[in-house]
Amino acid sequence: MRATKIAMKPEGRHEEKHFTAPDLIRDIVIGMSDGLTVPFALAAGLSGTVSNTNLVVVAGMAEIAAGAIAMGLGGYLAARTDREHYISELNRERQEVKEIPEQEKEEVADILREWHLPEETISSAVEAISKDSDRWLRFMMKYELGLEEPEPKRARNSSLTIGLSYIIGGIIPLSPYMFIRHSHTALIISVIVTLIALFIFGYVKGTFTGSKPVRSAWQTALVGGAAAGIAFFIAKLIS
Amino acid sequence: MRATKIAMKPEGRHEEKHFTAPDLIRDIVIGMSDGLTVPFALAAGLSGTVSNTNLVVVAGMAEIAAGAIAMGLGGYLAARTDREHYISELNRERQEVKEIPEQEKEEVADILREWHLPEETISSAVEAISKDSDRWLRFMMKYELGLEEPEPKRARNSSLTIGLSYIIGGIIPLSPYMFIRHSHTALIISVIVTLIALFIFGYVKGTFTGSKPVRSAWQTALVGGAAAGIAFFIAKLIS
């Protein structure tokens, strides 16, 4: 599920009811989902066309390195860009609040109008929000632009966790090819080991993301299995 | 930049100033970023260890298939889970609004208190919001839980676009290996072609996501180049 984020929610009051996955778990899930799936599928695809598992291991390790860097470094740079984007929008908004305050107040009012508040309530709310310019700015950023301040440290740690989880996930389907010379035998063991890992991983993921664990287990195994199956047939077809 | 989303903003009023990338562009960017990077790096890695480009093509196509399915199908299923999660949270919230309305009204007030509104303005706003139960629910979903209703059709189209963009992106670095037999020559042409593609792609991505285009071009090429370089050395090391 590359490029997909897990629904994250700000902390609510009914924490015991509305589940929120911690950031660390989220990052491990993102990295490991792809790590278990793509190197698994690549190795399965290659094992159908080469008899020597050494080449499968080389290709698999190259893929793991490439994927971990694409996710880790790519994710880190994207997060840095997000942060710069936030700061540039913040500066623009700050200037607008200074230069065209009446228009910006009208924007606050428009946002509140969505909730059908009485006009006098809106005026009083706009007054209170715009009294403090930091608060006003934060309101505009959050509700006009839908942006919240990104944390720079989080971005670095998050990219590292995602990259490492990709590597750990990728080692699992690849390890049978490291110890078994015959590619067909290694494939069978890799399929068994990886499907079990995908099931367990999907189940744990489900309990953390608030979806049904058993269903999440099946879905995760399905994506991995489909990817491996199609990679196998494509490799057979063109080799 | 697998697993990374581009900062997206709800439509603001200053559309001419605050740029919002259309969903289609966002999906193409997500798919193509990875498609240009990972198969490129894998092919580069393998080309250092095998002399026959046929095997590089087989491995590359298997990777493209696996990556496209992981991103496409994985993304689609994750979006479906998000939607179910939204509906289950909505039902829970609906029950709470019915069963403990006073406590839920207090939660609306708490959310508004963040903006330091006067207490009488808060009471009047809470009254207006909770008058209509749909509006009240939508308010709780959006501001207590930070969830907005996902569109089911969008999820399907989005996954398809991401998967196809991954395939198109992946074909670019792989094509030299399809027409050139000697892997070293194919590698050099692939590196040149793909770096140019990454530069152009990064530049276009930058103009669409509101970051500096030239810098985005350099960063995109850097991630692709780093992934390919490290994959190459790892493959050399263990083969």
Side-chain angles (χ1 to χ4, degrees):
Chain A
M1 46 165 240
R2 298 183 189 185
T4 308
K5 63 186 168 56
I6 296 156
M8 301 299 287
K9 295 159 289 169
E11 298 285 324
R13 284 225 314 193
H14 301 289
E15 266 136 312
E16 73 288 4
K17 294 189 204 165
H18 300 295
F19 183 83
T20 305
D23 286 341
L24 182 70
I25 299 287
R26 191 198 67 128
D27 294 337
I28 293 174
V29 163
I30 290 173
M32 208 167 264
S33 287
D34 285 2
L36 278 171
T37 304
V38 185
F40 168 50
L42 173 68
L46 279 179
S47 72
T49 65
V50 295
S51 57
N52 185 341
T53 53
N54 188 36
L55 205 77
V56 177
V57 175
V58 172
M61 294 302 277
E63 208 289 336
I64 290 173
I69 287 167
M71 286 188 102
L73 182 58
Y76 173 71
L77 292 176
R80 234 181 44 176
T81 304
D82 276 359
R83 187 169 165 76
E84 285 163 13
H85 179 66
Y86 179 86
I87 290 167
S88 95
E89 291 288 329
L90 187 71
N91 289 335
R92 189 173 291 169
E93 208 63 54
R94 184 175 284 134
Q95 209 176 336
E96 285 178 1
V97 160
K98 221 183 257 172
E99 288 172 6
I100 43 166
E102 288 314 311
Q103 208 171 315
E104 291 295 304
K105 277 185 187 175
E106 200 41 45
E107 286 185 5
V108 173
D110 277 352
I111 290 162
L112 296 171
R113 261 181 212 117
E114 194 195 330
W115 304 103
H116 297 258
L117 309 186
E119 276 304 317
E120 55 192 62
T121 306
I122 290 177
S123 321
S124 147
V126 170
E127 225 35 66
I129 291 165
S130 61
K131 215 188 289 173
D132 180 286
S133 70
D134 278 343
R135 193 185 304 152
W136 190 1
L137 265 175
R138 201 159 50 84
F139 187 90
M140 299 305 291
M141 292 303 285
K142 193 166 175 182
Y143 299 128
E144 192 208 353
L145 302 177
L147 296 174
E148 296 209 51
E149 192 171 358
E151 299 164 47
K153 258 195 193 163
R154 250 298 291 124
R156 202 194 51 208
N157 295 343
S158 166
S159 310
L160 213 64
T161 310
I162 291 175
L164 283 175
S165 305
Y166 189 88
I167 295 171
I168 295 167
I171 295 289
I172 295 171
L174 221 58
S175 48
Y177 300 94
M178 294 176 187
F179 303 110
I180 298 162
R181 282 214 131 189
H182 189 249
S183 67
H184 190 70
T185 318
L187 169 65
I188 291 169
I189 294 174
S190 175
V191 168
I192 294 169
V193 168
T194 311
L195 284 181
I196 291 171
L198 285 166
F199 261 104
I200 294 171
F201 172 73
Y203 190 93
V204 174
K205 185 171 87 179
T207 62
F208 273 110
T209 55
S211 56
K212 294 180 197 96
V214 174
R215 195 169 153 197
S216 167
W218 277 105
Q219 282 192 350
T220 310
L222 172 73
V223 175
I230 292 177
F232 185 87
F233 282 108
I234 285 188
K236 274 266 185 219
L237 210 71
I238 61 171
S239 71
Chain B
M1 49 167 237
R2 298 182 191 186
T4 309
K5 66 188 164 58
I6 295 156
M8 301 299 288
K9 297 158 287 172
E11 299 285 323
R13 283 225 314 189
H14 302 289
E15 264 136 312
E16 72 290 0
K17 296 189 201 161
H18 300 296
F19 183 83
T20 304
D23 286 341
L24 181 70
I25 299 288
R26 190 197 68 128
D27 293 337
I28 293 174
V29 163
I30 291 173
M32 209 167 262
S33 288
D34 286 0
L36 278 170
T37 303
V38 185
F40 168 50
L42 173 68
L46 279 179
S47 73
T49 63
V50 294
S51 56
N52 185 343
T53 53
N54 188 36
L55 204 78
V56 177
V57 175
V58 171
M61 294 301 279
E63 207 289 335
I64 290 174
I69 287 167
M71 285 188 104
L73 181 60
Y76 173 72
L77 292 176
R80 233 181 45 174
T81 304
D82 277 0
R83 187 170 164 75
E84 285 164 10
H85 179 67
Y86 178 87
I87 290 168
S88 96
E89 290 289 330
L90 186 71
N91 288 335
R92 189 174 291 172
E93 208 63 55
R94 183 173 287 134
Q95 208 177 337
E96 286 178 2
V97 160
K98 220 184 260 173
E99 288 173 4
I100 44 167
E102 288 315 311
Q103 208 172 314
E104 292 295 303
K105 278 186 188 174
E106 200 40 46
E107 286 184 4
V108 173
D110 277 351
I111 290 162
L112 297 170
R113 259 180 213 119
E114 195 195 331
W115 304 102
H116 296 257
L117 309 187
E119 276 303 316
E120 54 192 60
T121 306
I122 291 175
S123 321
S124 146
V126 170
E127 224 35 67
I129 291 164
S130 60
K131 217 189 287 174
D132 179 286
S133 71
D134 278 344
R135 193 186 303 152
W136 188 3
L137 266 175
R138 201 159 51 85
F139 186 92
M140 298 307 290
M141 292 303 286
K142 193 167 173 179
Y143 299 128
E144 191 208 353
L145 303 177
L147 295 175
E148 296 209 50
E149 193 172 0
E151 300 164 47
K153 260 195 192 163
R154 245 308 285 123
R156 203 195 50 207
N157 295 343
S158 167
S159 309
L160 214 63
T161 310
I162 291 174
L164 283 175
S165 305
Y166 189 88
I167 294 171
I168 295 167
I171 295 288
I172 296 173
L174 220 57
S175 48
Y177 299 95
M178 293 177 188
F179 303 110
I180 299 161
R181 280 212 132 189
H182 188 249
S183 67
H184 191 69
T185 317
L187 169 66
I188 291 169
I189 296 175
S190 176
V191 168
I192 295 169
V193 167
T194 310
L195 284 181
I196 292 171
L198 283 166
F199 261 105
I200 295 172
F201 173 73
Y203 191 91
V204 173
K205 184 172 88 178
T207 62
F208 273 110
T209 54
S211 56
K212 297 181 194 96
V214 174
R215 195 172 154 195
S216 167
W218 276 105
Q219 282 191 352
T220 310
L222 172 73
V223 175
I230 291 176
F232 185 87
F233 283 108
I234 284 186
K236 275 267 185 221
L237 209 72
I238 61 172
S239 71

